Amino acid sequence: MDGELICNYKKCRKRLNSFAWVTSCSHIFCDDDGGREFNKSYTCPACENTLSGKFDIIRIDLQPNEQYRSMVLAGQKPETIMEICTRALSFWTYQAHQERTYQEYVASKAKERAVQLEQYYEQIVSHTQRELTSLKTQLSASKKELESTKMKHSEISDKLMERNRQYQKLQSLYDAMRRKCITPMSFEGNSGDATPTLTPKHRKRIPSQSFTMPLSSGDDILRQPNQGDHVQQRKPTNSPPERDFVLRPNSTPTVGECSNHAEKSRFSLNFKTSR
């Protein structure tokens, strides 16, 4: 303590060097805390002991002058002086013992805190080491997987290049065969009518009949029955309707209509029948 007393108020604990408040229960307080607490009640802030006596609380000067020192115990008997000094030394010894106990308590708490922190950080270090080991294992596994993936990628790339070469070769063969198969006859067959050309063999299989019928005037139509009076009527047969078709007579068109429709005086009908 270096010969200095410390305020016994728990929230203060500052060193005392001027005025202080001393109690009969051997506690001392600074001037600020003692004045504030003792103005509220006559109870010790440290041990909560009731201080009801006249001299249970006194305010002292920790640095008395020479006149006070020479007169404070003057006239007292040696026994009284020794008793006063003994009680004063006991007060100081109690304060020193109390301060040492408090410091030991603080030190023990600090050691416990240090041990707890040491255990906590040891756990953190061990957990970090385990994680680091796990990450190293994962890294090595990832490297192996990367190497295998690279090998597979190279193999697939080689196969793809080989397939591309085969495709190019087949494409070139296909183009060559296509150029060989293209002839002028195919262009002639495709350049004309959209109807596909038939070979002579197919033409024999699908016979067709076509005829052209002129559009004549009414006199020509009326003359046709006279020319065919001697023709005997044929018996009905099971022939297609195209063979039994008969053009019926119509009224003779006028001169204006003939002149307006001169270009349409004739038409052609194509009928195809199959047997």
Side-chain angles (χ1 to χ4, degrees), residues 35-206:
R36 183 183 67 253
E37 295 296 328
F38 294 135
N39 286 329
K40 294 179 182 178
S41 63
Y42 294 103
T43 303
C44 179
C47 63
E48 297 182 355
N49 189 19
T50 302
L51 306 172
S52 59
K54 182 178 180 180
F55 295 101
D56 288 343
I57 303 170
I58 60 173
R59 185 172 181 268
I60 62 172
D61 187 3
L62 298 177
Q63 294 180 354
N65 53 24
E66 292 295 332
Q67 185 178 2
Y68 177 81
R69 291 177 184 180
S70 61
M71 296 299 295
V72 65
L73 294 177
Q76 300 294 332
K77 294 179 180 181
E79 295 84 3
T80 304
I81 295 172
M82 293 301 297
E83 186 178 356
I84 294 172
C85 292
T86 301
R87 291 183 180 182
L89 291 173
S90 298
F91 178 85
W92 192 90
T93 302
Y94 172 76
Q95 288 292 322
H97 176 71
Q98 180 177 272
E99 182 64 22
R100 184 179 64 186
T101 304
Y102 175 78
Q103 294 297 335
E104 288 177 356
Y105 174 78
V106 172
S108 63
K109 289 295 183 180
K111 287 181 181 179
E112 291 178 1
R113 180 64 176 170
V115 171
Q116 292 177 358
L117 290 174
E118 185 178 0
Q119 293 177 355
Y120 173 72
Y121 285 113
E122 284 179 355
Q123 292 177 359
I124 291 177
V125 170
S126 61
H127 180 68
T128 305
Q129 288 179 353
R130 288 194 298 269
E131 287 185 351
L132 183 61
T133 305
S134 176
L135 290 174
K136 286 182 179 179
T137 305
Q138 293 180 2
L139 181 61
S140 61
S142 299
K143 287 183 178 180
K144 291 181 181 179
E145 185 177 359
L146 179 61
E147 293 295 332
S148 62
T149 306
K150 286 183 178 180
M151 293 178 63
K152 290 180 181 180
H153 180 266
S154 62
E155 292 176 359
I156 293 172
S157 298
D158 295 338
K159 289 181 180 180
L160 180 61
M161 293 175 65
E162 182 65 24
R163 293 291 176 86
N164 287 332
R165 286 194 293 269
Q166 292 178 2
Y167 172 75
Q168 296 294 334
K169 186 183 294 185
L170 291 174
Q171 186 68 29
S172 61
L173 292 173
Y174 171 75
D175 294 337
M177 293 178 66
R178 187 178 179 183
R179 286 193 296 271
K180 289 180 180 179
C181 293
I182 294 174
T183 58
M185 294 297 296
S186 61
F187 286 107
E188 292 178 359
N190 295 327
S191 61
D193 192 3
T195 305
T197 56
L198 299 176
T199 58
K201 184 177 181 181
H202 292 88
R203 290 176 182 175
K204 291 179 180 180
R205 292 180 182 178
I206 307 175

Side-chain angles (χ1 to χ4, degrees), residues 199-268:
T199 58
K201 184 177 181 181
H202 292 88
R203 290 176 182 175
K204 291 179 180 180
R205 292 180 182 178
I206 307 175
S208 61
Q209 293 181 0
S210 61
F211 62 93
T212 302
M213 181 179 292
L215 289 176
S216 59
S217 62
D219 298 335
D220 296 335
I221 297 172
L222 293 175
R223 286 196 299 268
Q224 287 180 1
N226 297 328
Q227 294 177 1
D229 291 339
H230 302 284
V231 179
Q232 298 179 358
Q233 294 183 356
R234 297 179 181 180
K235 296 180 179 181
T237 58
N238 295 327
S239 62
E242 290 84 352
R243 296 185 179 183
D244 297 336
F245 177 77
V246 177
L247 185 63
R248 300 297 179 184
N250 195 2
S251 60
T252 304
T254 60
V255 177
E257 292 177 355
C258 292
S259 61
N260 291 332
H261 300 282
E263 66 275 10
K264 298 182 180 179
S265 61
R266 298 178 64 86
F267 70 95
S268 297

